[in-house]
Amino acid sequence: MTVHEIERVFCPVCLAKFKFAEGWKEGDLVICPICGQKLKLARGAEGWVGERPEKGTEKEIRERSEEFARLRGYVFGDVKEEIIEGLMGKYKRFGDFYCPCRMNHTPEYQCPCKPTRGGDVEKNGRCYCWFFLKKT
Amino acid sequence: MTKKPKVYALSTCPYCKRTRRFLDEHKVAYDCIEVDLLDDDEQDKALEEVQKLTGRSSFPVVIIGDEIIVGHDEERLKKALKL
Ligand SMILES: [Zn+2]
């Protein structure tokens, strides 16, 4: 007899696990519903993990932000392009896409940062950087 | 003659850039510390200074005489610089 547990996929960006949908298979490209990152499904020792197919590229952070905005129904502030440029600078110097307006280089502050993933935009109408805005 | 204004900025932050652009456009001479581009030890020191001055670590920080301005705020910059 097998026990059917809900399978989950680990996202290396937001460090959360989301539900593995029916029909998915190894190598498929899926979007993390929490942060918007595009992930390639792989089987790790501890279960499903998502890999970042375009890690560190402008394409990756642009697509992630756009997917995140789409998932949440947010729009971008007029600093969008400057923020993308700042995120590229963070990657170059600190190794990942950390919030360009802060000096916190921990996974919590990977863009979209934890406060933003946790609903800061609903609360304040915007994220810390005015990158993601609530639709008015 | 009062001391030159001092700016603590992050090289990646759009608001820091706006503050610097504003000062440049108004031909204000200032010293700028790009905190994220410093070496580890100097970076720690600069972050400590910012924390001591403002009680947090938000950027940009502009120091004009006794005035400490956190964030890009053209009205406060104008007032402090008598522009
Ligand atoms: Zn994620």
Side-chain angles (χ1 to χ4, degrees):
Chain A
M1 203 182 93
T2 50
V3 180
H4 289 278
E5 275 184 66
I6 295 174
E7 282 197 287
R8 294 190 168 271
V9 182
F10 176 73
C11 171
V13 171
C14 61
L15 308 184
K17 287 182 171 186
F18 58 92
K19 214 174 143 216
F20 187 94
E22 214 175 306
W24 282 358
K25 55 184 190 310
E26 186 141 29
D28 280 0
L29 291 174
V30 304
I31 302 290
C32 171
I34 303 156
C35 71
Q37 171 70 33
K38 181 167 76 187
L39 298 167
K40 191 173 165 193
L41 294 176
R43 260 221 189 271
E46 321 244 313
W48 290 101
V49 289
E51 287 167 358
R52 293 165 62 178
E54 285 132 349
K55 188 164 186 271
T57 60
E58 189 179 322
K59 183 166 184 273
E60 179 186 45
I61 191 57
R62 223 174 247 288
E63 283 185 355
R64 184 198 300 169
S65 324
E66 272 154 21
E67 284 296 340
F68 180 75
R70 193 183 54 79
L71 286 164
R72 299 286 182 102
Y74 298 156
V75 292
F76 288 101
D78 63 1
V79 289
K80 182 183 179 189
E81 290 306 315
E82 290 166 274
I83 295 284
I84 297 276
E85 197 188 311
L87 284 162
M88 292 306 296
K90 283 287 189 188
Y91 194 95
K92 236 178 250 157
R93 188 154 187 100
F94 297 99
D96 224 328
F97 293 118
Y98 301 113
C99 178
C101 301
R102 296 192 240 231
M103 273 299 286
N104 301 78
H105 306 115
T106 57
E108 256 179 74
Y109 290 100
Q110 167 107 238
C111 183
C113 66
K114 203 172 177 184
T116 300
R117 299 192 298 263
D120 255 17
V121 178
E122 274 81 15
K123 218 173 9 184
N124 307 325
R126 58 174 181 91
C127 73
Y128 184 80
C129 297
W130 297 75
F131 184 38
F132 298 107
L133 310 182
K134 202 164 132 179
K135 240 185 238 171
T136 46
Chain B
M1 182 69 199
T2 48
K3 253 171 70 183
K4 238 198 257 179
K6 191 172 179 181
V7 179
Y8 291 89
L10 300 182
S11 70
T12 52
C13 156
Y15 307 98
C16 300
K17 280 189 195 134
R18 285 177 191 191
T19 289
R20 296 181 64 183
R21 202 183 307 139
F22 179 87
L23 296 173
D24 292 340
E25 280 168 6
H26 289 86
K27 312 239 180 313
V28 177
Y30 60 94
D31 292 316
C32 182
I33 299 172
E34 287 194 297
V35 177
D36 58 321
L37 303 183
L38 297 173
D39 292 334
D40 287 353
D41 288 348
E42 287 182 29
Q43 194 172 95
D44 289 345
K45 220 180 90 197
L47 285 169
E48 238 169 73
E49 285 164 10
V50 167
Q51 186 70 36
K52 212 184 277 170
L53 287 165
T54 66
R56 53 200 171 127
S57 51
S58 282
F59 297 90
V61 175
V62 187
I63 300 157
I64 304 165
D66 296 331
E67 191 93 21
I68 299 169
I69 302 167
V70 183
H72 177 64
D73 189 335
E74 296 193 0
E75 286 315 306
R76 283 191 67 193
L77 288 171
K78 273 186 203 164
K79 228 173 134 190
L81 292 163
K82 301 185 175 66
L83 292 172

